[in-house]
Amino acid sequence: QKEVEQNSGPLSVPEGAIASLNCTYSDRGSQSFFWYRQYSGKSPELIMSIYSNGDKEDGRFTAQLNKASQYVSLLIRDSQPSDSATYLCAVTLMNSGGYQKVTFGTGTKLQVIP
Amino acid sequence: DTAVSQTPKYLVTQMGNDKSIKCEQNLGHDTMYWYKQDSKKFLKIMFSYNNKELIINETVPNRFSPKSPDKAHLNLHINSLELGDSAVYFCASSQDQAGGAYNEQFFGPGTRLTVL
């Protein structure tokens, strides 16, 4: 089982709709959860972070975390063509040396259709 | 002012050559990382340094040798380059290793390495 799993997509949504991106992780000890956006040919950019169960909202973005189900999601409301990118889920876990190791999922490609 | 910078942006070289990539951050962060992103876009951590100390060393061939002269700089030297080393290499930094927001990472623009 992969440590961080995402559906590779592409996920196609019409402009103005809600895009829902999902991520599951394998280790119950995982502590911090991040969503990065990566445009084609560019570097990943942090858009949301979440550390406790529940929802966290920032503008059009909402991150949701359910540690019991080992599930984290990202909702994008009023999707815009400029949201078309690959969204990477990242999870931290303390390694045997006592350091936080970040593991990325393979990403979900989102296409917002005008 | 660029927060995390890398040089060069593109690197095209022959198999068997040795090359280096340099990274600098001006965010005052304690922790820096090297990632490899392959053609399938999977972003895999290679190394992490915290205050010049190597703290994460994934299963990477020992042809790859990182070096951190100070906490603002992290370089990657690759010996005897192979075709499979072709990828985009990203440098990143975070405030430190304390967890939570301290692990939020800021990425450099990437170095696209092509081995012929």
Side-chain angles (χ1 to χ4, degrees):
Chain A
Q1 183 185 7
K2 288 182 185 173
E3 293 177 59
V4 181
E5 291 207 59
Q6 295 180 256
N7 188 320
S8 61
L11 172 67
S12 294
V13 300
E15 185 175 354
I18 296 175
S20 178
L21 303 159
N22 304 316
C23 172
T24 57
Y25 57 95
S26 60
D27 200 309
R28 286 194 173 276
S30 299
Q31 297 171 324
S32 305
F33 307 86
F34 307 94
W35 284 98
Y36 289 81
R37 177 177 62 200
Q38 188 174 23
Y39 292 113
S40 181
K42 300 295 185 182
S43 55
E45 172 194 13
L46 179 70
I47 53 170
M48 287 291 286
S49 54
I50 188 165
Y51 310 115
S52 55
N53 278 330
D55 294 2
K56 179 182 176 183
E57 187 175 318
D58 184 0
R60 295 186 297 113
F61 298 100
T62 299
Q64 298 175 317
L65 175 61
N66 184 326
K67 288 188 176 180
S69 301
Q70 294 173 239
Y71 177 91
V72 57
S73 65
L74 179 71
L75 301 177
I76 306 175
R77 287 181 300 281
D78 188 24
S79 295
Q80 301 297 309
S82 58
D83 295 326
S84 298
T86 296
Y87 289 80
L88 303 169
C89 173
V91 174
T92 67
L93 179 66
M94 190 170 288
N95 68 5
S96 56
Y99 297 106
Q100 297 283 340
K101 178 190 160 189
V102 178
T103 301
F104 282 82
T106 51
T108 298
K109 186 170 184 177
L110 173 66
Q111 293 176 340
V112 180
I113 313 299
Chain B
D1 239 3
T2 306
V4 183
S5 58
Q6 291 179 233
T7 54
K9 191 165 184 182
Y10 299 97
L11 196 47
V12 181
T13 188
Q14 299 287 330
M15 263 196 326
N17 284 351
D18 303 340
K19 289 293 178 187
S20 292
I21 307 171
K22 296 189 174 186
C23 177
E24 176 181 359
Q25 55 95 3
N26 62 7
L27 297 167
H29 287 170
D30 285 350
T31 307
M32 295 185 73
Y33 311 80
W34 278 114
Y35 287 90
K36 178 181 180 181
Q37 189 168 48
D38 59 26
S39 57
K40 294 184 179 177
K41 306 301 182 187
F42 181 51
L43 193 65
K44 184 167 170 52
I45 190 165
M46 301 172 69
F47 303 104
S48 177
Y49 273 75
N50 190 59
N51 261 322
K52 303 194 297 175
E53 177 192 353
L54 180 65
I55 58 171
I56 292 175
N57 184 350
E58 292 295 287
T59 310
V60 177
N62 56 16
R63 297 182 295 104
F64 290 79
S65 50
K67 194 166 284 187
S68 181
D70 56 61
K71 70 176 192 177
H73 296 84
L74 180 61
N75 304 323
L76 183 66
H77 187 77
I78 315 170
N79 289 324
S80 303
L81 278 155
E82 299 178 358
L83 293 175
D85 298 332
S86 295
V88 180
Y89 292 84
F90 287 104
C91 175
S93 72
S94 66
Q95 192 164 344
D96 62 30
Q97 282 285 307
Y102 294 101
N103 281 113
E104 294 175 358
Q105 296 189 21
F106 295 81
F107 283 78
T111 296
R112 182 173 294 276
L113 171 65
T114 303
V115 182
L116 303 174

